Amino acid sequence: MRNITLSAEEELIERARLKAQANDTTLNAAFRAWLEEYTSSQDRVEQYKAMMHDLRHVKSQGPYSRDEMNER
């Protein structure tokens, strides 16, 4: 694992540490989780676009009434 150095306001760091502690984790673990989320968000957008492209043949027969949409 590679170490990095970040800069932030001291008060912000302390609030982040307290929040991590309240969530029973460390600030490092919370940051790693955020970094994973941050870098994977574009992948999810591409997956969504691919799925919508694959489903482009699906046509709705609507519009549906409120009752029809809530039927089970």
Side-chain angles (χ1 to χ4, degrees):
M1 195 172 298
R2 184 173 175 184
N3 288 328
I4 62 172
T5 301
L6 301 170
S7 299
E9 305 297 326
E10 193 169 330
E11 181 185 329
L12 181 60
I13 293 169
E14 186 57 33
R15 288 190 345 240
R17 284 187 199 277
L18 290 172
K19 184 172 182 174
Q21 185 179 29
N23 290 324
D24 199 29
T25 190
T26 64
L27 188 52
N28 279 332
F31 177 73
R32 284 192 297 271
W34 173 82
L35 197 59
E36 183 66 37
E37 176 72 21
Y38 181 72
T39 58
S40 68
S41 63
Q42 187 60 32
D43 292 339
R44 283 196 307 269
V45 169
E46 294 305 320
Q47 290 171 351
Y48 172 79
K49 286 180 180 179
M51 179 184 68
M52 295 307 287
H53 182 265
D54 291 345
L55 295 174
R56 69 189 181 280
H57 66 280
V58 176
K59 303 292 183 212
S60 171
Q61 295 177 3
Y64 298 103
S65 71
R66 182 183 198 95
D67 290 334
E68 289 173 322
M69 290 181 10
N70 289 312
E71 282 182 5
R72 299 191 192 259

